[in-house]
Amino acid sequence: MLELKDISFEVSEEADSKEKEIIKDLSLTLDDGKFIVITGPNGGGKSTLARIIAGIYAPTSGEIYFDGVDITDKSITERARMGIGYGFQQPVRFKGITVQDLICLAAGKKLSVSEACAYLSEVGLCAKDYIDREVNGSLSGGELKRVEIATVLAKGSKLSIFDEPEAGIDLWSFQNLIQVFEKMQESNHQGSILIISHQERILNIADEIIVIADGKIVKKGEKEEILPSLISTESVANVCDKYNVGGKM
């Protein structure tokens, strides 16, 4: 279980040297075994919150607990070792490192070709076509995203975080990505999944939806309760105005 208590995050604005609050005294509990999607308007604090959970950013104030352990001051590496995996919006490319190398690094041990291939198959890639490929510019955005998900599977994360996984990929790749997430949601063998997205198809496979705007949680509940209110009369991007929580950041 992940628990955030009174989390705030501020950054300095160079123009006037003032602090700008991105996350505002936010408290949240994420239960185990859930597929959760955080959505809301651009600039509302979604990706910032994901990075705070992963350990990329340190909160200005507040506490974070994972399985009852205070991880507020732990690094991204320490959190990864505890079982928190993070998929970047734009996955990193590694010249000279093969797909098999990357999967073995994620697993933390040497894997046979067949074992590494099994993870690629889970994300819909033909293993024999990818296992020896370099993780570089020869891979498309969609291929790279699926390789990254394969590394998260190999890591066996208790909490897998994906920041706008649909960013920068074509429609065909997005459709394949949805199938991967549907499979993860159905099998639920990778613990909790947390996705930052405003794509309706991703929202539609969630167990729970959390709406964040202006650095605050404005709505949280099961998909059946939250999704109809988001798509009935307006887009998710306008939810900030709907809940009267101020402008975009």
Side-chain angles (χ1 to χ4, degrees):
M1 182 175 74
L2 180 76
E3 186 176 8
L4 283 68
K5 294 184 177 181
D6 304 319
I7 294 295
S8 293
F9 181 75
E10 298 177 348
V11 294
S12 297
E13 291 189 310
E14 295 181 2
D16 52 16
S17 300
K18 291 183 179 180
E19 297 294 317
K20 183 176 183 179
E21 197 171 30
I22 306 299
I23 301 295
K24 304 175 180 180
D25 198 30
L26 185 150
S27 294
L28 174 65
T29 298
L30 302 180
D31 294 326
D32 294 334
K34 296 289 186 178
F35 190 111
I36 302 158
V37 178
I38 294 180
T39 193
N42 293 331
K46 306 184 300 297
S47 292
T48 297
L49 182 62
R51 291 166 188 164
I52 289 172
I53 294 171
I56 299 170
Y57 294 163
T60 305
S61 62
E63 300 173 326
I64 306 172
Y65 292 86
F66 185 60
D67 288 344
V69 178
D70 187 346
I71 64 170
T72 310
D73 297 322
K74 293 189 180 298
S75 68
I76 186 172
T77 301
E78 291 173 309
R79 296 185 197 198
R81 288 171 180 160
M82 294 178 69
I84 298 178
Y86 185 83
F88 289 88
Q89 193 174 120
Q90 296 296 332
V92 180
R93 298 177 187 270
F94 300 94
K95 187 176 181 180
I97 296 180
T98 67
V99 170
Q100 182 178 359
D101 293 334
L102 194 61
I103 293 175
C104 289
L105 285 170
K109 61 183 179 180
K110 182 68 176 178
L111 298 175
S112 67
V113 172
S114 61
E115 288 173 324
C117 286
Y119 291 114
L120 292 175
S121 296
E122 285 199 56
V123 297
L125 294 177
C126 180
K128 65 184 179 71
D129 292 337
Y130 289 91
I131 195 69
D132 294 323
R133 293 270 296 275
E134 284 192 12
V135 187
N136 57 20
S138 68
L139 294 175
S140 70
E143 290 170 331
L144 201 58
K145 285 285 176 74
R146 284 191 277 172
V147 168
E148 183 179 52
I149 295 173
T151 65
V152 173
L153 295 176
K155 189 182 298 179
S157 301
K158 296 179 182 177
L159 173 62
S160 302
I161 305 168
F162 298 97
D163 185 8
E164 296 192 21
E166 69 275 9
I169 63 175
D170 56 49
L171 180 60
W172 184 86
S173 295
F174 177 65
Q175 291 172 339
N176 281 278
L177 195 65
I178 291 294
Q179 292 176 359
V180 172
F181 286 135
E182 286 175 338
K183 184 177 179 181
M184 291 175 71
Q185 195 266 356
E186 289 169 2
S187 63
N188 201 32
H189 68 283
Q190 285 298 312
S192 299
I193 300 168
L194 176 63
I195 297 182
I196 309 300
S197 179
H198 49 73
Q199 287 289 335
E200 185 178 338
R201 286 191 63 186
I202 292 179
L203 290 165
N204 201 47
I205 58 177
D207 295 317
E208 295 180 2
I209 296 174
I210 300 167
V211 181
I212 291 181
D214 198 24
K216 302 175 183 177
I217 295 174
V218 295
K219 208 163 183 66
K220 177 180 183 292
E222 295 183 358
K223 174 190 66 179
E224 290 76 13
E225 173 191 355
I226 305 298
L227 187 56
S229 67
L230 295 180
I231 64 176
S232 58
T233 58
E234 56 190 315
S235 69
V236 171
N238 293 325
V239 74
C240 185
D241 293 332
K242 179 177 180 178
Y243 292 105
N244 298 314
V245 291
K248 295 182 180 179
M249 295 183 186

